[in-house]
Amino acid sequence: TLRLWDLTAGRCVCELKGHDSWVQGLAVDWDSKRAVSASDDFSLCLWDLSSGRQIGKMTGHTASVHCVAADWSTARALSGSYDRTLRLWDLERRELVRELRGHTARVQCVVVDWASMRGLSGSGDKSLHLWDVSTGKLVRKMKGHKATVTCVAADWSAERAVTGSLDATLRVWDLKSGCSTLVGSCGGAVQCLAADWAC
């Protein structure tokens, strides 16, 4: 399930039921009160947060869907799965637009610049992939981590990204050249990150 919380009151406002297994990823548009969730049940669910109703379900992945990014202005979402693929969805029609293939292991994380239709995905194959989401073409495969790439954040205007990995390191990437710089080693596996590119 998913739960919507009132942070001021500290209470659950509603529970969203529809998945048959663990929820692994979520993208939310607070203005329109919509959300799309990714689950171990191989599906994505579309939600109306005002009512708590499930308003759509998208299937097609053949393994756990671990991550999702959405563009609510154009009703598109890109999901990453343990079936080693990414899939671009039309959220209005609840239909698959295209499949992106190139990873040789599970897809763990994804981030998209919808204005330029470029995406980045991290995987269990230890690589970071740069995609042309509009065509599904793999633009660049970037290697440097020694274990699963678990998380990614991008500064698209400066053509750079930062990734975290189970190898306990952070790397900063030049998206034009595909080269990376080791930022530093952490005490253990890196599972999430956030970047302030203005600093």
Side-chain angles (χ1 to χ4, degrees), residues 66-67 81-82 103-110 121-129 142-152 162-171 173 188-193:
H66 200 77
C67 49
S81 169
Y82 277 24
H103 282 297
T104 57
R106 65 185 183 272
V107 179
Q108 196 80 17
C109 56
V110 64
S121 58
S123 168
D125 62 17
K126 310 172 191 176
S127 73
L128 178 69
H129 283 189
M142 294 167 277
K143 302 214 81 169
H145 281 295
K146 293 181 171 125
T148 299
V149 180
T150 56
C151 45
V152 59
V162 59
T163 51
S165 168
L166 294 185
D167 66 10
T169 68
L170 293 171
R171 284 186 172 272
W173 302 84
V190 181
Q191 297 282 10
C192 56
L193 63 82

Side-chain angles (χ1 to χ4, degrees), residues 7 12 16 20 73 95 105 115 122 150 189-190 198:
L7 299 182
C12 177
L16 288 67
D20 297 322
S73 63
E95 292 178 352
T150 56
V190 181

Side-chain angles (χ1 to χ4, degrees), residues 7-89:
L7 299 182
T8 303
R11 65 183 179 85
C12 177
V13 177
C14 69
E15 192 172 291
L16 288 67
K17 296 182 177 180
H19 284 298
D20 297 322
S21 190
W22 290 353
V23 177
Q24 297 285 4
L26 182 67
V28 180
D29 179 28
W30 296 107
D31 291 333
S32 68
K33 292 186 170 51
R34 290 178 298 170
V36 59
S37 55
S39 170
D40 279 347
D41 65 9
F42 305 0
S43 77
L44 294 107
C45 284
L46 191 61
W47 305 92
D48 176 355
L49 299 181
S50 297
S51 64
R53 288 189 311 111
Q54 180 185 312
I55 55 176
K57 192 165 192 173
M58 292 158 287
T59 59
H61 281 296
T62 57
S64 169
V65 189
H66 200 77
C67 49
V68 61
D71 179 28
W72 301 99
S73 63
T74 58
R76 291 172 295 186
L78 186 67
S79 58
S81 169
Y82 277 24
D83 66 11
R84 306 190 299 273
T85 72
L86 293 101
R87 294 183 184 227
L88 180 66
W89 303 90

Side-chain angles (χ1 to χ4, degrees), residues 109-159:
C109 56
V110 64
V111 64
V112 182
D113 176 28
W114 295 102
S116 66
M117 287 297 283
R118 292 182 299 165
L120 287 166
S121 58
S123 168
D125 62 17
K126 310 172 191 176
S127 73
L128 178 69
H129 283 189
L130 176 64
W131 303 90
D132 181 338
V133 178
S134 64
T135 64
K137 179 184 176 183
L138 176 61
V139 177
R140 184 166 289 112
K141 181 177 181 178
M142 294 167 277
K143 302 214 81 169
H145 281 295
K146 293 181 171 125
T148 299
V149 180
T150 56
C151 45
V152 59
D155 179 7
W156 295 104
S157 61
E159 298 289 337

